[in-house]
Amino acid sequence: MTWNDCLEKYLHQCSNRVSKVSKIPRLSISLASKLLDELPNLKIIHLIRDPRAIMNSRDKFSWTPVPGGAVSLCKKIMADYLSSVEVKRAHPGRLYTVFYEEIAGNPIETFRGIYDFLGYQFSKNDQIRLTARTASSKQGNAGSTYRFNSAKTASTWKKQINSTVLKETNKACFSVYQLLGYPEFKGS
């Protein structure tokens, strides 16, 4: 399938749907919020993840090494969070912040909150589908959404993170941890 085929399929599938969802990693909240004025039905879900987990992942793929990668990541997380507070004031009920760790650790309740924010009912079938992905009998690869135990998977970084990556990320992100309530972790 070519890129054009994929785009055409996506546009066709979206054209007859009531809701359209797009995942846009690394888009700043300040930029995304500009769309709220233009699109009155748009709602934004702001996903935040522990920067140590992100830096562990980036280290595995040799992306954005420390300390520079951690510094820029935590500046962005801080800016996005502070922007989200302003956006929530300017556009009540249009931006919802959720933590990755909440999704992994308590998926049913977290998705009930997301569905409520979006104005949908969280059905028994939705719960079954979500449970199949977060407490599955099969483990997917890193890009898959199937997990034996999503909470355990979400904290795996704690056993894998390189001590230098952890130390530098802790230095760069201390104020983010304080603001967002992430607990101290200095290694195992």
Side-chain angles (χ1 to χ4, degrees):
M1 181 177 279
T2 68
W3 167 252
N4 285 335
D5 293 335
C6 187
L7 180 60
E8 187 176 316
K9 181 179 178 184
Y10 177 77
L11 291 174
H12 174 72
Q13 286 176 337
C14 286
S15 65
N16 60 2
R17 303 285 188 213
V18 173
S19 297
K20 295 157 185 76
V21 177
S22 292
K23 177 183 175 185
I24 308 172
R26 292 176 289 285
L27 177 66
S28 72
I29 292 298
S30 63
L31 181 58
S33 71
K34 293 181 187 323
L35 296 171
L36 293 171
D37 292 326
E38 302 295 321
L39 303 166
N41 294 326
L42 177 69
K43 292 190 176 188
I44 297 171
I45 298 173
H46 177 205
L47 179 64
I48 299 174
R49 186 169 190 196
D50 189 313
R52 296 164 291 198
I54 296 170
M55 287 306 299
N56 178 61
S57 179
R58 290 180 178 183
D59 181 55
K60 284 183 187 179
F61 294 103
S62 301
W63 298 342
T64 60
V66 293
V71 169
S72 65
L73 171 66
C74 286
K75 280 183 181 178
K76 182 179 184 326
I77 290 172
M78 180 70 80
D80 279 344
Y81 183 78
L82 295 175
S83 290
S84 77
V85 171
E86 293 301 316
V87 170
K88 287 176 184 178
R89 274 193 215 124
H91 301 279
R94 308 241 346 251
L95 186 138
Y96 187 76
T97 300
V98 65
F99 290 85
Y100 176 88
E101 295 78 14
E102 290 173 351
I103 291 173
N106 195 357
I108 302 299
E109 285 308 309
T110 305
F111 271 90
R112 282 183 207 270
I114 291 170
Y115 273 52
D116 186 51
F117 165 72
L118 297 172
Y120 291 105
Q121 293 293 318
F122 189 75
S123 71
K124 187 69 175 165
N125 284 340
D126 293 324
Q127 184 172 337
I128 291 167
R129 230 179 3 263
L130 184 58
T131 301
R133 296 212 183 269
T134 60
S136 178
S137 59
K138 62 180 178 177
Q139 176 76 20
N141 62 24
S144 168
T145 58
Y146 286 95
R147 298 290 180 259
F148 286 129
N149 178 330
S150 62
K152 186 177 178 184
T153 301
S155 63
T156 300
W157 66 266
K158 292 177 182 179
K159 294 179 182 137
Q160 299 173 343
I161 195 164
N162 171 299
S163 61
T164 302
V165 171
L166 178 61
K167 179 180 156 211
E168 294 298 329
T169 303
N170 281 343
K171 269 198 295 191
C173 301
F174 181 75
S175 58
V176 169
Y177 303 159
Q178 287 187 310
L179 178 68
L180 301 179
Y182 281 113
E184 184 177 340
F185 180 75
K186 293 186 178 181
S188 42

